[in-house]
Amino acid sequence: EAQVTQNPRYLITVTGKKLTVTCSQNMNHEYMSWYRQDPGLGLRQIYYSMNVEVTDKGDVPEGYKVSRKEKRNFPLILESPSPNQTSLYFCASSRDRGKEKLFFGSGTQLSVL
Amino acid sequence: GESVGLHLPTLSVQEGDNSIINCAYSNSASDYFIWYKQESGKGPQFIIDIRSNMDKRQGQRVTVLLNKTVKHLSLQIAATQPGDSAVYFCAENNAGNNRKLIWGLGTSLAVNP
C-alpha cells in the first residue's frame, strides 16, 4: 500500500531535549516536505527536499533541521525544542513539487513542556 | 499562552444535500489548484485537482470549478454524507514561485443527519 509513515504519533517532551520525528515513504517520490499545523494558521511548510541530499527552507524553518540521505526517508530534527514548537506535524511526499498531488502522513502531535 | 488566529469558516449542510465550498486564490499566475480533505485526527487527503487550462473537473461525487476571471475556486460535493464531515483545504501554485503550494486556511464542513 502506498503510504507515508511518520513516527511517533504522539510525543511529549521537555524544553531542550533533542528529538527526531521520522518520515518514510514507499512510493519512490523525489519530493518530500514537512509541515506544521496550528489552529487558525493552517499548514505552514518547515523544510522540503527536492531529492536526495537536496533540502531547502520553507516558511518556518527556525528551530528545525532535516536530512535526506536516502530517497525514502526525511527525518525532522528538533535540536533544542521549545514550547512554541508544540504543534501537529505532517510529513508529505509527491513525485514532483507542486505539479502532483501530495501524500500526507498521519501526523505527529508534539507537546513541548 | 493561547494562540490567536482566524476562526475557521464553517458550512453546515443536511445529509443528502449538495455542498459548495469556496476558495479565493491570490495569484492570477497560478496554474495548478488542488483540494484536500482532513478528517479529525488524520492527515490531509487528496480529493481532486485542476489545471488552469480547464474550467471544470469531475470526480466521484465531487466537482471542482475554476473561475480565473475572478480568481475563484469551488468544490462541489453531491449528496453529502456524514463521512464528508471534515476540514477542506484549497491550495494553488505556479511556476513563478518555484512551485510552492500556497494553502488556504480551510473550511469546516458539518453534515447534519
Side-chain angles (χ1 to χ4, degrees):
Chain A
E1 180 189 355
Q3 60 185 359
V4 177
T5 304
Q6 291 178 231
N7 280 297
R9 189 81 170 83
Y10 301 94
L11 181 57
I12 301 173
T13 189
V14 294
T15 299
K17 187 176 181 182
K18 180 179 178 180
L19 65 92
T20 300
V21 184
T22 63
C23 174
S24 181
Q25 49 92 6
N26 63 0
M27 295 167 279
N28 201 36
H29 284 167
E30 299 207 335
Y31 180 77
M32 296 187 75
S33 179
W34 276 103
Y35 290 91
R36 62 178 288 174
Q37 187 175 39
D38 302 286
L41 298 178
L43 285 162
R44 293 182 293 168
Q45 190 175 51
I46 303 170
Y47 268 96
Y48 65 94
S49 170
M50 300 291 281
N51 212 326
V52 177
E53 302 292 2
V54 180
T55 63
D56 280 293
K57 295 178 180 179
D59 297 317
V60 288
E62 293 77 22
Y64 304 94
K65 284 174 58 178
V66 292
S67 69
R68 188 89 182 273
K69 294 185 173 64
E70 311 160 277
K71 201 171 192 178
R72 64 183 292 123
N73 296 323
F74 190 45
L76 179 70
I77 303 152
L78 284 72
E79 293 271 3
S80 183
S82 61
N84 65 11
Q85 293 179 298
T86 292
S87 187
L88 179 59
Y89 291 86
F90 289 103
C91 180
S93 74
S94 69
R95 287 192 301 180
D96 196 357
R97 184 188 194 200
K99 290 183 281 187
E100 299 283 343
K101 63 185 179 185
L102 276 169
F103 291 80
F104 282 83
S106 299
T108 297
Q109 180 64 60
L110 173 65
S111 296
V112 183
L113 307 177
Chain B
E2 186 176 353
S3 64
V4 177
L6 298 172
H7 289 290
L8 214 55
T10 299
L11 176 66
S12 185
V13 300
Q14 289 297 123
E15 181 178 356
D17 287 352
N18 296 335
S19 303
I20 300 176
I21 301 171
N22 296 305
C23 182
Y25 63 91
S26 57
N27 191 335
S28 57
S30 291
D31 59 5
Y32 179 67
F33 306 87
I34 193 164
W35 282 98
Y36 283 87
K37 171 187 180 183
Q38 187 177 21
E39 296 175 82
S40 181
K42 296 184 178 180
Q45 181 182 15
F46 170 82
I47 302 173
I48 194 167
D49 58 1
I50 188 169
R51 301 185 193 277
S52 59
N53 60 352
M54 301 174 71
D55 296 323
K56 178 180 179 179
R57 191 164 188 221
Q58 288 185 288
Q60 190 175 15
R61 274 201 314 118
V62 294
T63 301
V64 56
L65 297 177
L66 175 62
N67 186 330
K68 295 180 284 293
T69 304
V70 294
K71 294 190 287 186
H72 184 266
L73 192 66
S74 68
L75 178 71
Q76 300 179 359
I77 304 172
T80 313
Q81 302 167 0
D84 294 326
S85 294
V87 176
Y88 290 80
F89 294 95
C90 65
E92 62 177 290
N93 78 10
N94 65 79
N97 68 352
N98 201 23
R99 286 287 164 201
K100 174 184 170 181
L101 270 177
I102 307 298
W103 293 86
L105 294 180
T107 296
S108 178
L109 176 65
V111 181
N112 305 312

